[in-house]
């Protein structure tokens, strides 16, 4: 879906001020509330806006240890292992990947011992051949989309 300059202005505002009302967004942008709502509805329908909930911190939920676990899977069992990963609460996201492994999971733990317990649970899943774990030391660039939205906005103006 192509976004235009107004869409990118709306998206940037949503990222910068996520708890503001639609009426206030419209006032800030200088557009009608109905126009803004129609744009928001379209971007949700097209999958540009995928959620409106709060962003939560695993560390604040007593899970400060973050690791990336590469999981090698027996051929033909990728879907089964993916489904099993969804049942592990400490796995906050997982992706099919190319390269060194079949899946990459973002895993959180209360401490290193808890992380080891989670990894041992992963290793015991049917279809998992082996894992390789990398523990994150410090976040250098937090998850962000503002710069990407700004870049898309510049391209829309060009």
């Amino acid at each position: 879906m192509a976004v235009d300059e107004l869409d990118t202005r709306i998206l940037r505002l949503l990222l910068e001020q996520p708890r503001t009302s639609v009426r206030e967004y419209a006032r800030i942008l200088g557009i009608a509330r109905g126009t803004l709502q129609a744009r928001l509805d379209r971007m949700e329908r097209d999958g540009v806006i995928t959620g409106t909930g709060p962003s939560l911190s695993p560390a604040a939920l007593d899970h400060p240890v973050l690791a990336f676990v590469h999981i090698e899977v027996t051929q033909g069992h990728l879907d089964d292992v993916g489904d099993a990963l969804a049942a592990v609460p400490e796995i906050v996201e997982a992706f099919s990947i190319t390269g060194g492994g079949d899946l990459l999971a973002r895993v959180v733990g209360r401490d290193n011992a808890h992380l080891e317990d989670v990894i041992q649970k992963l290793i015991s899943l049917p279809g998992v051949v082996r894992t390789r774990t990398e523990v994150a030391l410090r976040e250098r660039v937090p998850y962000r989309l503002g710069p990407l939205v700004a870049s898309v906005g510049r391209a829309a103006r060009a």
Side-chain angles (χ1 to χ4, degrees):
M1 183 225 131
V3 296
D4 63 17
E5 186 177 354
L6 178 56
D7 290 336
T8 61
R9 288 177 52 216
I10 292 168
L11 293 171
R12 289 182 72 185
L13 192 56
L14 287 172
L15 291 170
E16 293 166 3
Q17 300 179 35
R19 296 178 57 102
T20 302
S21 69
V22 171
R23 180 179 306 226
E24 181 63 10
Y25 288 143
R27 187 195 67 74
I28 292 168
L29 293 166
I31 61 175
R33 184 178 180 276
T35 300
L36 175 63
Q37 190 62 60
R39 296 272 184 142
L40 291 171
D41 292 345
R42 179 182 48 80
M43 287 190 283
E44 285 181 18
R45 190 175 51 253
D46 291 346
V48 174
I49 298 173
T50 58
T52 58
S55 178
L56 305 177
S57 165
L61 295 171
D62 197 31
H63 284 70
V65 178
L66 170 64
F68 299 93
V69 180
H70 298 260
I71 304 168
E72 188 177 323
V73 176
T74 304
Q75 282 190 326
H77 289 85
L78 191 60
D79 289 338
D80 296 334
V81 173
D83 292 343
L85 294 180
V88 180
E90 294 86 358
I91 295 180
V92 295
E93 61 184 344
F95 302 90
S96 299
I97 60 168
T98 63
D102 300 299
L103 295 164
L104 177 65
R106 182 187 301 246
V107 181
V108 295
R110 291 185 301 274
D111 53 34
N112 287 344
H114 180 233
L115 177 63
E116 181 183 11
D117 293 341
V118 173
I119 293 166
Q120 290 302 318
K121 186 185 304 183
L122 299 181
I123 292 170
S124 70
L125 293 174
V128 172
V129 175
R130 72 177 50 87
T131 65
R132 188 182 88 238
T133 302
E134 298 165 354
V135 176
L137 299 176
R138 180 181 298 160
E139 183 177 66
R140 298 295 180 165
V141 178
Y143 182 81
R144 74 225 172 106
L145 290 174
L148 177 63
V149 170
S151 174
V152 170
R154 285 190 296 275
R157 285 192 294 273

